[in-house]
Amino acid sequence: MKSNIIIAFIFGCNLLSAQNFTRKDSLQGGFSLERMCFDVQHYDLDIKVDPEKQFISGSNTISFKMHQESSTIQLDLFENMKVDSILFENKKLAFKREFGAVFVSFPSPLKVTDNILKLQFFYSGNPIIAKNAPWDGGFVFSKDANNKPWIGVAVQGTGASLWYPVKDSQSDEPDRGALIKVAVPNGLMNVSNGRFKGNLDLKNGYTRWDWEVKNPINTYSITLNIGDYVHIHEKHNDVDLDYYVLRDNKEKTSIHFAEVKPMMDCFESKFGSYPFIEDGYKLIESNYLGMEHQSAVSYGNKYRKGYAGRDNSGTGIGMKFDFIIIHESAHEWFGNSITSRDIADMWIHEAFTTYAESVYIECQWGKKKAIEYINGQMKLVQNSSPVIGNYELNNKGSVDMYYKGTLILNTLRNSIDDDEKWWTILKKFAQTNRHKIVETEEVIAFFSSETGWNLKPFFNQYLKHTSLPVLETKRVGTNFSYRWNTDVIDFELPVYFLSEGKKIKIQPTNQWNTIKIKANAKLNFPNELFYVKF
């Protein structure tokens, strides 16, 4: 396969530049009154998983507050899953299903109030089986080497409502966290997000494993991992590190998971303290490659360096660390702590997280290696469709949100040309937006304020267009003229040339500007620092 096809396959992004959207897309991705009139406070998920029948049954008790008066709210559950009943104040509610949306009707309009309301949503069914998780959403039912059931799930982009009833929108996280109670056959364990609260023998051949999340959590991050796990506990600074691995792999963790501690040191120094100390940090061995489940990172890289044993950058640097540990853990800061309101803005998750890979490299092996790694990824950029997707349609942007995203941030860093200032800004961004849901415009406003520049044209050029800024120059004698040729207007980006060991800084705009230089001066443009055409 060509490299661009490989990367699109790896990250499960749609290569099509155009798409016909439907009512189903609007229901899943939209912000209708029925969806936005209420604010989820807490989820209490209580289910039983039958590995043999690949069947789920149980309920989700949803606590919420009303923001706007309404007699109907929209919850979500995939069409193949059965709604058994929905209870409110011990009475069954009427509901109507349309694609994956479940419109729940109340006997009278619910008033705006600070009071917390609760409904209990009972359901059952055989969840969709992933063909190739995590790139397509669904469950993975498999067996370990000892022929014991091993079950996982990954639903980013596809939707959490694939396996449990929920307000399936990144725009709303349960403010007070979640309880996740999963009953599995005796002899198996379930590991979910947050802290382990205990297990209960149900006296029917099943044991229920209870987990509690204290922090807000995006719904696709809520997860389960069922298997014959063993538990290893460590503590690093103030963070509890818990590893749940298959029994036969326990001895591997002491060596392979050792890089978690330097990773934590690096990310906490650059992005601020670990965002979910109350819920701890876990690596859980999974039967698919990996996913950034909050406080419960799914790990399936089979104890190898690189990405499934290879280096996507082609530089060799990617084989110095375990990609899944570093990348998926970085999502705790970017994606889990800071979450985009609409998946059209998923670049906020993936650009900063991909950049975090190079941040880890810089912490461990220096800036030169980090820059080399970033530039090695450049060949994977397609520039075939915009990085930002279509809003309110459950539509992600292009695969370029990863590698073009990290090149954008590298460009901004080198344009600022002050590493102390850059790291201060980046850390402030992570801390200011800690546990917040954000949009692209807010990200742009933050970096514009911190730099003192109008960065809206900069981000719009890279995120909404496929062509790169072109630095056009003319040189006549001692006159050196330059300008940016871009799709957007008012594009400005300071850059510099190297000449005789010195920097010649310029501040090009879309208009021609001229400076004086030595007639015979040799100018070298550092292409590795700026993602532009020259």
Side-chain angles (χ1 to χ4, degrees), residues 301-514:
N301 207 31
K302 299 180 180 179
Y303 306 95
R304 296 174 291 186
K305 298 293 187 182
Y307 180 100
R310 63 180 181 272
D311 175 16
N312 285 334
S313 77
T315 63
I317 300 168
M319 295 304 294
K320 289 179 172 287
F321 61 95
D322 187 315
F323 175 97
I324 295 300
I325 292 177
I326 304 304
H327 181 94
E328 305 303 346
S329 298
H331 272 303
E332 295 283 49
W333 283 265
F334 305 108
N336 296 342
S337 178
I338 302 174
T339 304
S340 67
R341 182 173 186 260
D342 192 307
I343 69 167
D345 283 337
M346 284 290 286
W347 76 273
I348 298 169
H349 298 205
E350 300 302 348
F352 285 93
T353 295
T354 305
Y355 185 71
E357 298 165 28
S358 70
V359 173
Y360 177 71
I361 292 168
E362 187 162 343
C363 284
Q364 296 300 107
W365 300 288
K367 183 177 180 180
K368 185 176 179 181
K369 289 292 186 184
I371 296 296
E372 183 183 353
Y373 179 78
I374 291 171
N375 279 270
Q377 297 170 325
M378 191 184 302
K379 64 181 179 297
L380 304 173
V381 179
Q382 299 172 19
N383 277 322
S384 59
S385 59
V387 171
I388 290 179
N390 294 280
Y391 291 104
E392 299 191 39
L393 291 167
N394 197 48
N395 176 246
K396 292 188 289 187
S398 78
V399 68
D400 287 344
M401 69 177 77
Y402 294 85
Y403 299 128
K404 185 176 182 179
T406 194
L407 287 159
I408 293 169
L409 295 176
N410 185 56
T411 296
L412 183 57
R413 172 188 183 175
N414 288 292
S415 184
I416 292 171
D417 195 29
D418 182 337
D419 279 354
E420 183 177 354
K421 183 177 181 179
W422 169 248
W423 294 122
T424 298
I425 291 173
L426 194 58
K427 190 172 188 176
K428 186 176 180 180
F429 173 68
Q431 293 178 316
T432 301
N433 294 288
R434 184 184 180 94
H435 298 176
K436 289 185 179 179
I437 296 170
V438 302
E439 299 177 302
T440 288
E441 292 303 316
E442 294 172 281
V443 177
I444 295 173
F446 176 87
F447 281 92
S448 294
S449 175
E450 293 301 313
T451 58
W453 302 343
N454 174 20
L455 288 172
K456 188 168 185 177
F458 169 82
F459 280 105
N460 283 348
Q461 178 64 42
Y462 283 107
L463 298 176
K464 296 182 179 181
H465 298 273
T466 57
S467 57
L468 296 180
V470 178
L471 183 60
E472 298 179 339
T473 61
K474 295 186 293 187
R475 190 169 178 179
V476 180
T478 59
N479 290 328
F480 179 63
S481 301
Y482 48 84
R483 72 171 181 185
W484 288 116
N485 186 347
T486 57
D487 297 287
V488 302
I489 60 173
D490 299 325
F491 183 91
E492 297 183 40
L493 182 70
V495 294
Y496 58 82
F497 288 84
L498 299 174
S499 180
E500 298 176 355
K502 296 181 180 179
K503 292 180 181 178
I504 298 178
K505 295 187 177 183
I506 58 175
Q507 294 185 317
T509 67
N510 291 130
Q511 309 302 318
W512 284 106
N513 290 283
T514 302

Side-chain angles (χ1 to χ4, degrees), residues 89-131:
E89 296 179 343
N90 297 317
K91 296 180 181 179
K92 286 188 177 182
L93 296 177
F95 60 90
K96 182 182 71 173
R97 306 194 71 174
E98 185 178 1
F99 299 109
V102 181
F103 292 98
V104 182
S105 298
F106 295 86
S108 59
L110 298 180
K111 306 293 185 181
V112 177
T113 176
D114 284 334
N115 294 335
I116 294 178
L117 307 175
K118 291 186 179 184
L119 65 77
Q120 195 169 13
F121 194 130
F122 291 87
Y123 75 109
S124 57
N126 297 96
I128 289 173
I129 307 300
K131 295 178 181 178

Side-chain angles (χ1 to χ4, degrees), residues 69-308:
E69 183 176 319
S70 180
S71 59
T72 305
I73 65 171
Q74 179 188 336
L75 296 173
D76 304 279
L77 183 67
F78 269 39
E79 296 173 82
N80 63 297
M81 301 295 282
K82 180 185 177 184
V83 179
D84 294 321
S85 63
I86 303 173
L87 300 183
F88 178 70
E89 296 179 343
N90 297 317
K91 296 180 181 179
K92 286 188 177 182
L93 296 177
F95 60 90
K96 182 182 71 173
R97 306 194 71 174
E98 185 178 1
F99 299 109
V102 181
F103 292 98
V104 182
S105 298
F106 295 86
S108 59
L110 298 180
K111 306 293 185 181
V112 177
T113 176
D114 284 334
N115 294 335
I116 294 178
L117 307 175
K118 291 186 179 184
L119 65 77
Q120 195 169 13
F121 194 130
F122 291 87
Y123 75 109
S124 57
N126 297 96
I128 289 173
I129 307 300
K131 295 178 181 178
N132 193 19
W135 305 293
D136 68 322
F139 264 71
V140 181
F141 289 91
S142 63
K143 297 288 183 71
D144 65 18
N146 298 313
N147 204 36
K148 291 189 175 183
W150 188 19
I151 303 168
V153 63
V155 292
Q156 184 187 25
T158 307
S161 54
L162 178 145
W163 69 281
Y164 70 97
V166 63
K167 181 178 178 179
D168 202 354
S169 172
Q170 289 182 189
S171 65
D172 192 5
E173 299 179 354
D175 298 347
R176 304 183 185 195
L179 280 173
I180 306 158
K181 298 175 286 191
V182 181
V184 300
N186 293 342
L188 298 176
M189 176 190 299
N190 173 66
V191 186
S192 289
N193 316 78
R195 300 278 185 179
F196 179 54
K197 303 302 291 183
N199 55 23
L200 177 65
D201 187 344
L202 301 179
K203 307 300 182 182
N204 62 356
Y206 280 74
T207 297
R208 196 185 74 196
W209 299 79
D210 298 352
W211 298 82
E212 182 179 25
V213 178
K214 294 285 191 182
N215 288 288
I217 183 170
N218 55 54
T219 56
Y220 72 79
S221 269
I222 293 176
T223 192
L224 57 74
N225 299 269
I226 299 169
D228 182 23
Y229 287 115
V230 293
H231 175 214
I232 300 99
H233 174 77
E234 297 180 342
K235 199 173 184 75
H236 186 61
N237 300 329
D238 293 327
V239 183
D240 285 307
L241 309 178
D242 290 283
Y243 310 132
Y244 289 85
V245 300
L246 294 182
R247 191 168 301 277
D248 290 349
N249 293 329
K250 182 178 180 180
E251 301 306 317
K252 297 178 183 178
T253 61
S254 60
I255 296 175
H256 197 80
F257 289 175
E259 68 183 336
V260 169
K261 292 178 181 178
M263 175 198 72
M264 281 290 182
D265 289 339
C266 174
F267 288 168
E268 288 195 314
S269 70
K270 301 300 186 185
F271 311 140
S273 62
Y274 177 66
F276 307 110
I277 289 177
E278 302 88 347
D279 295 324
Y281 168 88
K282 291 190 291 296
L283 284 178
I284 307 165
E285 189 168 2
S286 61
N287 50 6
Y288 53 88
L289 189 59
M291 181 56 64
E292 63 267 24
H293 298 128
Q294 184 174 308
S295 72
V297 174
S298 296
Y299 173 80
N301 207 31
K302 299 180 180 179
Y303 306 95
R304 296 174 291 186
K305 298 293 187 182
Y307 180 100

